[in-house]
Amino acid sequence: MYLLTIRDGLQTRHIGPYATTQQAADHLDLLLPECGERAHWQIHELESPEALIRVARKSSAIAA
């Protein structure tokens, strides 16, 4: 899953989730005309808590 973040001046909008980056990019194309010229955007991949726990367990097992 992916999340679209648009920063426009002091406003930050988090939009999504999207199944693919293409869906997020398509929605971004619709939203950008409403934003200011200096708006910044990013598409983030959402991580599940379970995946983060697995990574933490693997890294702690390696460190031990």
Side-chain angles (χ1 to χ4, degrees):
M1 300 301 279
Y2 299 90
L3 182 71
L4 173 61
T5 301
I6 301 175
R7 289 188 187 95
D8 190 8
L10 297 175
Q11 181 182 20
T12 300
R13 297 169 64 187
H14 303 281
I15 307 159
Y18 300 97
T20 66
T21 56
Q22 184 62 49
Q23 289 175 339
D26 290 344
H27 198 200
L28 175 64
D29 289 339
L30 298 173
L31 294 172
L32 275 182
E34 299 173 13
C35 298
E37 292 180 15
R38 299 187 67 189
H40 299 278
W41 59 270
Q42 289 183 317
I43 297 174
H44 303 274
E45 183 175 9
L46 295 176
E47 299 177 81
S48 69
E50 294 84 14
L52 293 173
I53 291 169
R54 275 183 269 149
V55 169
R57 286 182 182 157
K58 284 181 185 178
S59 64
S60 65
I62 293 172

